Amino acid sequence: MSPDRISNQQLADTFNLIADLLEIRGEVIYKILAYRKAAESLAELNNDAYDIWQEGKLTQIPGVGKAIAEKIEEIFTTGKLGFLEKLTAEVPLSLAEMLQVPDLGPKKIGLFWKELGITNLSELEAAARSGKLRTLPGMGEKSEARILSGIEAYKRRSTRIPIGQAYPFAQRLISRLSQAADVVRVEMAGSLRRGKITVGDLDILAAATDSAAIMALFLSDPEIVRVKGRGETKSSVEYAHGLRAQLWVHPPERFGTAWQYATGSKDHNVRLRELALKQNLSLSEHAFTRPDGSEILCATEESVYATLGLPFIPPELREDRGEIQAALQGKLPKLIEIEDIRSELHAHTTWSDGHLSIQQLAEAAGRRGRKLIVISDHSASLAITGGLTTEDLQRQREEIDRVQQLLGDSILILQGIEVEIRADGSLDFPDDVLADLDIVTASLHTSLRQPRQQITERLLKAIHNPHVDIIGHPTGRMLPNREGADLDMEAVMKAAIENQVALEINAHPARLDLDDINARRFVEMGGLLAINTDAHAESDLDLLHFGITTARRGWVEAPAVLNTWEIPKLLAWLKNRHDTR
DNA sequence: GCCGTTTTCGGCCCGACTGTTTTCAGTCG
């Protein structure tokens, strides 16, 4: 790593890794928490830590004291960290990776390592299969079986990169490549552009009159660990963490066919080529070709589709899920756009586990054009978040009133709650408390492994509560590793529609829950959606586009989404719900 | 390791669930 290119995120990754390794070694928990706190602060910093360091103000970052500031300085100065090198000499790095296995935590990993010398997953699997784990203190047959099934789940996990990592990386890459000479435009393609939750390679496409400069710039990135192929029109590289990227360069007059081709999906492209053949045209990434060999060049994707007699099909729809048929019939949906969003209905403040005060959150939302924000902190039983008690709610209401007065009519602040759906399906607050709130989101966070029937009934019970307006991140999945609850979604959707309860598309890239498929099904059934960031920090508000993309992949149009409604319409909907319950 | 002080140490991150236990340890959210 060249020191001056180290990002806040790379620093955060480093300190999280230190925390993992220390935890496996058996360090006192508070030291580990300190590293994690520092990592979290760095990751959500608005300014470059590098600049802060140059101003000599590192210790002003929350959670960064003398020791961590010195480590950051060492990283910036030398590109290395002696402390981490010493630590990894003692605790194998492969142990940290094992933390990704569900139900396997630092204590167990440390135990297996110290008692059996296990340092990686295959050794662990072998030990579990031969019944060695059950002989250790605190272990038994069930624990051994649980670990085996955890390893299976981990192996099933895709090696693809979550969109939350791939997207910002691609953005930085594109802005860098855009500075090359002779370049007209640089764009994302592939599954990243289609908005899939994970991507394999990053596909970047450039239009340039001459490819030499941009190819050279692409290949000169110091973060590249391996060049897999290099050529005039296409090069392919691998970065640290297994991230791979390829860059194609095409002449501007052929950019449309190239971009369409590189965006895919493969199945969508097959269907397009079939359509072309029916018109005696052959379609490739370079052009349409007539039987006599002459070409039709397309500089834009619009002209590619137009040549086939089709309207433009948005990338998110290009999955061969009926979009070409719909386009032929003139029945493509008018997809929701990020500009349609007026409200944020799910966000946290320092009243629970958020990092902003009510005023800071409201102002941050206002700066992003939101006209309404719902303060929806956690309820008490999710104790780790410092959830609110009934008494807290009253005091919070007073603060909201004060902030509302201060901010005037620039943004409307409502009091909501993200109320916990307990293991038995009851809610964390009695009905009379919920009745006093402006809007209620109910969510599952615990006991997500209950059997299908039990957890479905639990969620249905919450949906039937007349005070619940929205179900937050319905399945509780966490990407890429943790699968959501085993819900009977058909029953959940039906109940939600009958009770006029909205389901959330949580926009955080680790959730995107509901997913695109369920969102599409739900809207087709007549359901209402909410698209929320679930913000815990200011930068989280900028993750909204992931939720919008997921909705677009689900063929969702703006009217089906509460957040797009004019504020009076939304308030009237809430009032009507409240009056009739 | 950080922080704040009634400032140089003591507190910080809680509770449900599970599996192993017979009173507790580990994982998760």
Side-chain angles (χ1 to χ4, degrees):
Chain A
M1 285 192 284
S2 96
D4 62 346
R5 292 183 46 82
I6 288 162
S7 66
N8 294 356
Q9 188 58 51
Q10 285 173 296
L11 291 175
D13 291 346
T14 301
F15 290 123
N16 272 323
L17 177 61
I18 289 174
D20 286 346
L21 294 171
L22 289 178
E23 203 170 5
I24 290 166
R25 192 173 73 177
E27 191 59 74
V28 290
I29 188 66
Y30 295 111
K31 189 182 282 196
I32 289 146
L33 290 171
Y35 278 110
R36 295 208 194 284
K37 170 79 164 56
E40 196 181 351
S41 281
L42 285 163
E44 68 186 35
L45 222 48
N46 287 322
N47 308 317
D48 253 347
Y50 190 85
D51 297 334
I52 298 173
W53 167 56
Q54 297 215 309
E55 291 164 20
K57 293 180 177 171
L58 279 178
T59 53
Q60 288 183 13
I61 299 170
V64 174
K66 189 162 169 284
I68 291 183
E70 281 172 4
K71 290 184 175 70
I72 296 175
E73 169 147 24
E74 184 184 342
I75 292 171
F76 280 142
T77 316
T78 68
K80 292 189 291 195
L81 183 56
F83 177 78
L84 181 58
E85 287 174 7
K86 244 186 269 171
L87 185 59
T88 51
E90 183 191 339
V91 188
L93 263 178
S94 50
L95 290 176
E97 189 203 338
M98 293 166 69
L99 286 168
Q100 299 299 313
V101 175
D103 295 325
L104 196 52
K107 295 289 167 57
K108 293 264 177 66
I109 294 171
L111 177 73
F112 302 152
W113 172 47
K114 286 168 190 162
E115 295 298 320
L116 300 174
I118 288 169
T119 60
N120 61 49
L121 269 188
S122 55
E123 287 169 10
L124 178 65
E125 187 174 2
R129 289 203 190 286
S130 61
K132 278 186 195 150
L133 299 185
R134 70 181 72 173
T135 63
L136 295 172
M139 291 291 298
E141 270 182 56
K142 281 190 181 169
S143 302
E144 201 172 65
R146 210 172 153 97
I147 282 173
L148 274 174
S149 72
I151 293 173
E152 290 307 315
Y154 178 74
K155 283 184 180 167
R156 276 199 308 276
R157 180 202 72 144
S158 85
T159 56
R160 295 164 64 91
I161 304 147
I163 193 171
Q165 290 167 32
Y167 192 90
F169 188 91
Q171 272 189 319
R172 287 197 298 275
L173 188 54
I174 286 172
S175 83
R176 181 164 166 272
L177 294 176
S178 300
Q179 293 160 16
D182 307 317
V183 167
V184 179
R185 65 192 293 190
V186 186
E187 302 283 356
M188 295 181 197
S191 48
L192 185 60
R193 182 172 177 227
R194 301 201 311 280
K196 289 194 66 170
I197 55 173
T198 62
V199 301
D201 299 356
L202 302 180
D203 296 315
I204 309 292
L205 212 68
T209 50
D210 185 314
S211 71
I214 187 170
M215 273 304 175
L217 185 60
F218 178 62
L219 294 168
S220 72
D221 191 330
E223 283 184 55
I224 292 173
V225 295
R226 195 159 71 97
V227 176
K228 288 161 54 182
R230 65 173 78 205
E232 211 174 297
T233 59
K234 181 187 166 184
S235 291
S236 168
V237 302
E238 192 173 318
Y239 300 91
H241 311 303
L243 199 67
R244 298 173 303 271
Q246 36 197 338
L247 172 68
W248 284 279
V249 185
H250 287 271
E253 65 274 16
R254 295 179 186 268
F255 189 73
T257 40
W259 199 18
Q260 196 289 314
Y261 174 87
T263 297
S265 65
K266 195 174 146 214
D267 292 336
H268 174 88
N269 288 357
V270 167
R271 299 291 299 275
L272 282 195
R273 286 201 293 275
E274 286 170 5
L275 270 184
L277 284 175
K278 282 184 192 159
Q279 300 173 35
N280 265 325
L281 294 171
S282 137
L283 171 59
S284 78
E285 61 188 297
H286 302 293
F288 288 97
T289 311
R290 298 190 188 89
D292 64 5
S294 65
E295 290 183 326
I296 305 171
L297 303 189
C298 296
T300 67
E301 280 193 323
E302 282 78 0
S303 60
V304 176
Y305 287 98
T307 304
L308 294 168
L310 295 173
F312 177 78
I313 300 179
E316 296 92 335
L317 296 183
R318 301 181 195 169
E319 298 289 348
D320 191 23
R321 293 179 187 159
E323 71 278 7
I324 292 177
Q325 187 68 13
L328 284 167
Q329 296 171 349
K331 288 183 179 165
L332 280 178
K334 186 183 181 315
L335 295 180
I336 185 172
E337 294 176 14
I338 198 160
E339 292 77 17
D340 294 326
I341 297 292
R342 294 186 158 87
S343 344
E344 171 62 58
L345 307 178
H346 182 177
H348 298 269
T349 71
T350 47
W351 280 85
S352 63
D353 60 348
H355 294 187
L356 300 179
S357 68
I358 291 171
Q359 184 178 342
Q360 289 169 327
L361 176 64
E363 288 174 342
R367 280 196 291 278
R368 287 161 178 80
R370 313 286 207 285
K371 298 294 174 212
L372 180 151
I373 178 129
V374 176
I375 308 300
S376 60
D377 278 302
H378 293 282
S379 60
S381 82
L382 200 60
I384 194 170
T385 64
L388 271 61
T389 62
T390 306
E391 293 73 39
D392 292 333
L393 278 175
Q394 186 50 46
R395 291 187 296 120
Q396 191 195 43
R397 168 70 79 179
E398 288 161 14
E399 182 175 332
I400 289 175
D401 290 345
R402 276 200 304 278
V403 175
Q404 183 72 76
Q405 196 123 45
L406 201 65
L407 299 187
D409 56 6
S410 60
I411 185 165
L412 180 61
I413 311 170
L414 296 188
Q415 187 182 31
I417 191 77
E418 183 176 19
V419 67
E420 207 49 30
I421 304 173
R422 296 190 194 124
D424 63 359
S426 66
L427 299 180
D428 221 6
F429 288 131
D431 282 1
D432 63 321
V433 172
L434 294 177
D436 285 341
L437 293 162
D438 300 321
I439 181 165
V440 173
T441 292
S443 303
L444 301 167
H445 291 100
T446 58
S447 302
L448 292 175
R449 293 166 159 244
Q450 289 172 339
R452 184 179 177 90
Q453 192 186 348
Q454 187 183 1
I455 198 158
T456 301
E457 279 171 11
R458 177 178 165 203
L459 191 54
L460 291 182
K461 198 167 160 189
I463 291 172
H464 282 111
N465 182 306
H467 301 284
V468 170
D469 302 301
I470 300 174
I471 297 296
H473 44 73
T475 77
R477 75 170 176 180
M478 291 297 276
L479 300 167
N481 287 344
R482 217 156 287 276
E483 289 164 17
D486 182 17
L487 289 167
D488 177 351
M489 283 309 297
E490 204 66 19
V492 169
M493 291 180 187
K494 225 175 120 220
I497 290 167
E498 280 166 7
N499 292 277
Q500 284 280 297
V501 169
L503 298 184
E504 181 180 74
I505 294 179
N506 190 291
H508 195 285
R511 290 198 182 271
L512 299 177
D513 175 18
L514 292 178
D515 65 16
D516 51 352
I517 306 272
N518 280 315
R520 182 173 177 184
R521 171 83 186 123
F522 185 54
V523 168
E524 278 172 0
M525 288 165 70
L528 286 172
L529 292 168
I531 304 179
N532 293 315
T533 65
D534 196 356
H536 287 71
E538 173 158 3
S539 57
D540 289 348
L541 291 168
D542 297 323
L543 301 174
L544 178 65
H545 67 97
F546 290 117
I548 299 293
T549 299
T550 298
R552 289 170 62 87
R553 287 179 60 81
W555 294 51
V556 173
E557 306 190 353
V561 179
L562 298 183
N563 312 63
T564 69
W565 293 2
E566 298 276 3
I567 305 309
K569 178 178 174 184
L570 182 62
L571 295 178
W573 181 77
L574 286 170
K575 180 169 190 305
N576 182 48
R577 287 178 53 76
H578 294 195
D579 290 347
T580 54
R581 69 197 178 194

